[in-house]
């Protein structure tokens, strides 16, 4: 039952979150369509089903804050306000892409929006995110750094090094473990000593044990806002474990057959963050017309961005030799 | 005029950079209160305080990751990896993250950081605390690789490394920490990518780096005194960028070339230089390029074993004589 009188979130922010999540969902679906048409090459890791996490942080963060995500990072990039054509264009290897085809799906970066990169070697970016947080502390500015990663990432050394360092230096950072129950093809519980891969390790670094339903957008937003405020007020790092599920396989080539049908069905039908949020908006008496208008608007944006990306030229071959060095070139001898 | 050791020039170089630019900070294990395991960072904590001289946990990935993230925002971190051998435990951050992020981001991100590390043998520390690893970083696009051979070069190259907008790995040689030099002025700046001539000569070009450059110079003095051979000794100072121009100029004059490398033979930096010389100066060569390296073995520890593994002055002298006089 919803408590409309004590609503701490409010209609405006809910609609913002709705629009955000919907955008992440529809762009990701479009990316999938474009693969099927072979317009997107290489690999790709969709975050379908996990939108509430990136979406909530997208709403909660301010301009100037830093985010770091993984190869499964289209959603996290869009959530900071990067353009849809920037993302789809990069996936398609076009000049309109965020990095003009130099990075690809696994490395989306948009510094103007605070998207400090998407990282494809498990764990590395937790240590790097500490660095932007350290810079905020060093410069006495109040940006917050947020680092997203998966459940499987809690078993690599960099995770532990990064948490310890963040704690001893009281860094303004939020670590967000998106526990989608699988590391690639292996159930996380089969390869992890504790039940909750992130939260059960928090105590080792004197951090609170935080577990949240990552598919409940409102709860996710509250959790995100709390951790971000804590960091911004100089009260140090947080580690959040958000339970979620990916609707598609690990990556492009993966049909996800290692997951029991019943489990997939349950998450798709009963725990879909977007479907559930739509009903919640209605429970809060938000006019269905407004909800549908947002849907139409986003669909339209995605279609337009797709057209822009498809019309965008492919990169020039000379780009191979640019931007190794800050002087713009790649020369290594005189 | 003051006598300065290589060791003291390290802390002075860092201090000079930190005085000039508030954006520079220093992070490493045992670097602050303890002054570094090689005592090369003594006095920095006292002068700059804990905000700018940070004692880190034994977390090489976290150290370099934090330095990288800070550099991405425009700060200019100097990070220490205690022994270069330990780069192996954070090689992902070095080779995948620091080196490639500028390129992958289409130039959105600069990473102006310096990784300084104690490199090289001579201390009988065995195979995991003595390696010469410049070639590891040389083969990764996106990393600049500097290895000074004397105190003035430490000062001048550190100044440039800190100011450089790209990541620089700064290999300090452990066996040179006690090396002394008379230095008039300490506020030096030496551009990265300019080799230095340590000894003039027209009979042969000997190319070295760090300790091997000093040994080549000592060998050149003996060759001149006792064997009437005039060797030109080029201290590369940096492998990336590489001063090919200086190498070519000398090879055209001498026609004979020898590289002296502390690394094991395979894929040592001299192999690349030898290849460049054959591409660019084939017609000027009077014989094959000779590479003097450590044999392709892990470095042993006992005095006699280590001393006979790393190229010595005597070995260089003998190899030059063999090459030029066929003895
Ligand atoms: C160091 C490293 N080891 C292995 C891989 C291969 N790999 C890519 S994604 C992945 C699974 C990661 O699982 P998780 O952290 O749960 O993230 P998810 O994909 O579920 O979002 C693995 C093993 C890698 N990229 N990096
Ligand atoms: Mg997972």
């Amino acid at each position: 039952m919803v408590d409309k009188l004590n609503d701490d979130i409010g209609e405006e922010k809910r609609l913002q979150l709705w629009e955000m999540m919907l955008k992440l969902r529809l762009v990701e679906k479009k990316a999938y369509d474009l693969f099927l048409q072979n317009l997107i090459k290489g690999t790709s890791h969709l975050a379908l089903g996990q939108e509430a996490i990136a979406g909530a942080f997208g709403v909660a963060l301010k301009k100037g804050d830093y985010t770091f995500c993984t190869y499964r990072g289209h959603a996290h990039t869009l959530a900071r306000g990067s353009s849809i054509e920037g993302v789809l264009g990069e996936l398609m290897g076009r000049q309109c892409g965020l990095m003009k085809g130099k990075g690809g799906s696994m490395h989306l970066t948009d510094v103007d929006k605070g998207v400090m990169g998407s990282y494809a070697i498990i764990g590395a970016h937790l240590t790097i995110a500490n660095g932007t947080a350290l810079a905020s502390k060093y410069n006495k500015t109040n940006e917050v750094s947020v680092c997203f990663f998966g459940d499987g990432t809690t078993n690599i050394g960099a995770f532990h090094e990064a948490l310890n360092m963040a704690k001893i230096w009281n860094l303004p950072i939020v670590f967000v473990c998106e526990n989608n129950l699988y590391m690639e093809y292996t159930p996380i519980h089969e390869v992890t000593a504790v039940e909750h891969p992130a939260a059960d390790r928090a105590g080792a670094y004197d951090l609170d044990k935080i577990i949240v339903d990552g598919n409940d957008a409102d709860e996710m937003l509250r959790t995100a806002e709390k951790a971000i405020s804590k960091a911004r007020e100089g009260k140090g790092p947080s580690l959040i474990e958000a339970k979620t599920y990916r609707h598609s396989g690990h990556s492009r080539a993966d049909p996800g057959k290692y997951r029991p049908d019943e489990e997939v069905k349950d998450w798709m039908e009963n725990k879909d963050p977007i479907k559930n949020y739509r009903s919640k908006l209605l429970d809060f008496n938000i006019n269905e017309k407004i909800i549908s208008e947002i849907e139409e608007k986003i669909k339209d944006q995605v279609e337009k961005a797709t057209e822009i990306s498809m019309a965008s030229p492919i990169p020039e071959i000379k780009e191979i030799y640019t931007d190794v060095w800050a002087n713009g070139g790649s020369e290594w001898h005189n | 005029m003051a006598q300065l050791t290589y060791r003291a020039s390290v802390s002075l170089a860092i201090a000079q950079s930190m005085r000039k630019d508030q954006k520079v900070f220093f992070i490493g294990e045992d670097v602050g209160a303890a002054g570094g395991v090689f005592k090369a960072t003594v006095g920095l904590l006292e002068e700059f305080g804990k905000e700018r001289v940070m004692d880190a946990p034994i977390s090489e990935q976290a150290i370099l990751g934090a330095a990288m993230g800070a550099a991405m925002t425009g700060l200019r971190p100097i990070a220490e990896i205690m022994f270069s051998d330990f780069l192996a435990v954070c090689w992902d951050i070095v080779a995948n993250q620091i080196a490639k992020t500028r390129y992958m981001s289409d130039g959105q991100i600069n990473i102006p950081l310096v990784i300084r590390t104690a490199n090289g043998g001579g201390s009988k520390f065995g195979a995991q605390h003595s390696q010469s690893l410049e070639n590891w970083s040389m083969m990764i696009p996106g990393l600049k690789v500097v290895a000074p051979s004397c105190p003035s070069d430490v000062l001048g190259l550190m100044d440039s490394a800190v100011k450089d907008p790209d990541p620089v790995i700064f290999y300090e040689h452990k066996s040179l920490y006690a090396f002394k030099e008379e230095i008039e002025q300490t506020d030096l700046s030496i551009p990265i990518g300019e080799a230095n001539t340590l000894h003039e000569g027209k009979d042969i070009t000997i190319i070295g780096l760090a300790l091997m450059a000093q040994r080549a110079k000592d060998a050149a003095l003996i060759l001149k005194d006792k064997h009437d051979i005039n060797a030109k000794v080029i201290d590369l100072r940096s492998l990336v960028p590489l001063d090919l121009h200086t190498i070519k100029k000398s090879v055209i004059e001498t026609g004979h070339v020898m590289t002296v490398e502390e690394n094991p033979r395979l894929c040592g930096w001299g192999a690349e230089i030898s290849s460049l010389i054959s591409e660019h100066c084939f017609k000027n060569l009077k014989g094959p390029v000779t590479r003097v390296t450590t044999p392709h073995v892990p470095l042993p520890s006992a005095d006699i074993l280590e001393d006979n593994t790393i190229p010595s002055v005597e070995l260089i002298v003998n190899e030059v004589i063999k090459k030029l006089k066929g003895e």
Side-chain angles (χ1 to χ4, degrees):
Chain A
M1 270 293 98
V2 298
D3 180 357
K4 285 168 220 162
L5 293 177
N6 292 311
D7 181 12
D8 56 331
I9 294 178
E11 177 165 333
E12 195 188 331
K13 220 183 241 180
R14 278 219 175 77
L15 286 175
Q16 214 186 330
L17 190 49
W18 169 243
E19 179 168 339
M20 175 78 85
M21 289 199 297
L22 206 57
K23 180 158 87 177
L24 310 189
R25 167 76 46 106
L26 295 182
V27 175
E28 207 74 308
K29 279 190 157 173
K30 177 57 79 176
Y32 188 66
D33 288 348
L34 293 168
F35 291 137
L36 295 180
Q37 298 170 49
N38 206 25
L39 285 166
I40 294 178
K41 308 275 168 53
T43 187
S44 168
H45 307 75
L46 305 179
L48 288 169
Q50 305 185 192
E51 295 88 349
I53 302 167
F57 273 90
V59 169
L61 285 167
K62 286 191 186 156
K63 193 170 164 24
D65 289 335
Y66 300 110
T67 48
F68 293 76
C69 56
T70 69
Y71 47 88
R72 196 181 302 292
H74 310 161
H76 308 77
T77 302
L78 290 162
R80 296 307 309 282
S82 295
S83 74
I84 301 174
E85 60 268 24
V87 171
L88 290 179
E90 186 63 29
L91 268 53
M92 284 194 268
R94 304 295 170 115
Q95 280 189 24
C96 74
L98 287 176
M99 301 94 76
K100 302 202 204 83
K102 286 257 242 335
S105 154
M106 295 204 280
H107 298 291
L108 297 177
T109 305
D110 192 354
V111 171
D112 285 346
K113 304 282 191 228
V115 180
M116 302 307 281
S118 308
Y119 294 78
I121 310 286
I122 298 294
H125 66 309
L126 282 83
T127 71
I128 301 164
N130 272 342
T132 54
L134 179 64
S136 301
K137 197 180 164 196
Y138 187 89
N139 293 324
K140 301 189 169 58
T141 47
N142 67 358
E143 309 93 19
V144 171
S145 296
V146 176
C147 182
F148 302 95
F149 52 93
D151 43 285
T153 306
T154 63
N155 289 325
I156 201 164
F159 167 85
H160 299 270
E161 289 192 16
L163 286 178
N164 182 60
M165 187 173 275
K167 180 65 191 184
I168 58 170
W169 289 344
N170 196 42
L171 299 178
I173 187 162
V174 182
F175 294 104
V176 187
C177 175
E178 300 187 35
N179 181 359
N180 60 13
L181 312 185
Y182 291 82
M183 54 144 286
E184 226 158 39
Y185 315 137
T186 306
I188 193 64
H189 68 81
E190 285 183 12
V191 291
T192 308
V194 292
E195 186 186 352
H196 305 290
D200 286 346
R201 266 84 172 248
Y205 304 103
D206 195 21
L207 297 168
D208 293 337
K209 176 172 180 169
I210 303 173
I211 300 175
V212 57
D213 178 352
N215 283 14
D216 178 337
D218 278 354
E219 266 315 301
M220 208 47 238
L221 183 63
R222 289 187 189 103
T223 309
E225 284 180 339
K226 199 170 150 198
I228 291 167
S229 303
K230 180 181 168 193
R232 217 181 294 287
E233 287 160 16
K235 293 181 183 150
S238 301
L239 172 62
I240 295 168
E241 179 170 331
K243 291 273 270 253
T244 186
Y245 201 76
R246 58 173 151 73
H247 286 181
S248 42
H250 167 72
S251 61
R252 178 186 194 184
D254 170 31
K257 287 291 174 221
Y258 43 86
R259 303 189 301 186
D261 291 344
E262 281 310 304
E263 179 184 287
V264 178
K265 197 167 160 224
D266 182 37
W267 282 91
M268 301 274 283
E269 287 178 8
N270 306 322
K271 301 181 192 163
D272 181 344
I274 292 185
K275 207 157 100 184
N276 290 352
Y277 207 57
R278 198 179 196 284
S279 332
K280 187 174 237 174
L281 295 179
L282 294 174
D283 288 347
F284 273 94
N285 289 342
I286 296 178
N287 190 329
E288 184 153 20
K289 191 161 161 271
I290 300 176
I291 299 172
S292 315
E293 274 169 11
I294 292 176
E295 285 167 353
E296 289 312 312
K297 184 175 90 180
I298 299 294
K299 274 186 198 155
D300 197 46
Q301 280 178 9
V302 175
E303 286 313 315
K304 287 213 172 88
T306 307
E307 280 167 31
I308 295 173
S309 314
M310 287 180 26
S312 174
I314 55 175
E316 293 186 47
I317 288 173
K318 66 175 192 222
E319 286 292 331
I320 294 169
Y321 303 98
T322 63
D323 279 319
V324 172
W325 307 119
N327 69 7
S330 59
E331 291 297 326
W332 56 273
H333 65 70
N334 60 8
Chain B
M1 285 259 270
Q3 268 220 333
L4 198 64
T5 59
Y6 189 98
R7 181 192 321 281
S9 69
V10 171
S11 51
L12 181 57
I14 297 171
Q16 288 182 162
S17 289
M18 291 180 70
R19 284 173 204 148
K20 276 183 248 179
D21 187 352
Q22 190 64 32
K23 290 198 175 83
V24 182
F25 70 87
F26 179 46
I27 176 174
E29 294 162 22
D30 292 323
V31 296
V37 292
F38 297 100
K39 297 287 171 225
T41 57
V42 172
L44 294 175
L45 177 68
E46 290 72 11
E47 179 172 353
F48 300 102
K50 279 188 162 181
E51 276 70 44
R52 297 182 71 193
V53 178
M54 303 173 201
D55 275 320
I58 309 169
S59 302
E60 279 76 10
Q61 294 191 71
I63 290 169
L64 293 192
M68 171 175 167
M72 287 163 88
T73 73
L75 292 180
R76 290 182 176 265
I78 303 173
E80 174 177 311
I81 296 297
M82 191 184 284
F83 286 76
S84 62
D85 314 69
F86 307 165
L87 284 168
V89 303
C90 49
W91 198 238
D92 170 46
I93 308 292
V94 178
N96 287 321
Q97 313 301 341
I98 290 172
K100 296 180 173 64
T101 291
R102 173 166 227 290
Y103 188 82
M104 294 196 302
S105 72
D106 190 42
Q108 291 181 60
I109 292 171
N110 282 330
I111 304 181
L113 62 76
V114 177
I115 299 170
R116 45 170 295 270
T117 187
N119 189 53
S123 310
K124 283 59 186 184
F125 288 162
Q128 296 176 343
H129 287 71
S130 307
Q131 296 175 83
S132 270
L133 298 178
E134 299 94 332
N135 57 329
W136 284 17
S137 37
M138 182 192 194
M139 62 180 83
I140 311 291
L143 300 175
K144 293 187 176 171
V145 184
V146 172
S149 72
C150 60
S152 54
D153 282 7
V154 168
L155 291 166
L157 291 168
M158 179 66 82
D159 182 75
S160 297
V162 173
K163 287 177 183 157
D164 201 289
D166 293 310
V168 177
I169 309 202
F170 197 88
Y171 288 96
E172 292 161 18
H173 204 293
K174 292 194 279 292
S175 290
L176 289 172
Y177 276 129
F179 187 98
K180 285 191 189 120
E181 190 184 344
E182 295 287 337
I183 289 181
E184 278 178 52
Q185 200 216 327
T186 61
D187 193 6
L188 299 169
S189 192
I190 298 170
I192 298 176
E194 283 185 14
N196 190 26
T197 299
L198 298 185
H199 191 271
E200 284 294 351
K202 294 211 162 34
D203 296 332
I204 182 170
T205 306
I206 308 179
I207 304 171
L209 187 70
L211 180 67
M212 293 302 106
Q214 290 299 347
R215 289 199 176 162
K217 181 190 164 186
D218 291 345
L221 294 172
I222 294 169
L223 287 164
K224 188 175 179 184
D225 274 3
K226 304 211 172 121
H227 304 278
D228 200 27
I229 292 172
N230 291 302
K232 170 141 175 151
V233 175
I234 297 176
D235 172 4
L236 290 174
R237 284 176 167 161
S238 65
L239 296 177
V240 181
L242 182 73
D243 187 357
L244 182 59
H245 182 73
T246 296
I247 296 171
K248 280 196 309 202
K249 218 172 123 212
S250 174
V251 174
I252 289 167
E253 276 179 7
T254 63
H256 290 289
V257 196
M258 178 181 286
T259 64
V260 186
E261 305 160 52
E262 195 175 325
N263 45 252
R265 174 92 189 184
L266 299 190
C267 301
W269 54 259
E272 180 57 45
I273 291 190
S274 168
S275 148
L276 284 167
I277 291 170
S278 68
E279 270 175 50
H280 291 265
C281 313
F282 190 68
K283 293 201 182 98
N284 307 99
L285 286 176
K286 295 173 186 158
V289 176
T290 306
R291 290 181 59 209
V292 175
T293 71
T294 70
H296 207 64
V297 298
L299 205 65
S301 168
D303 271 340
I304 185 172
L305 297 180
E306 199 201 59
D307 290 346
N308 282 284
T309 306
I310 298 173
S312 61
V313 175
E314 195 188 0
L315 177 73
I316 301 166
V317 169
N318 291 340
E319 288 294 322
V320 170
I321 294 171
K322 204 158 74 183
K323 184 175 169 67
L324 296 186
K325 301 192 174 170
E327 282 167 24

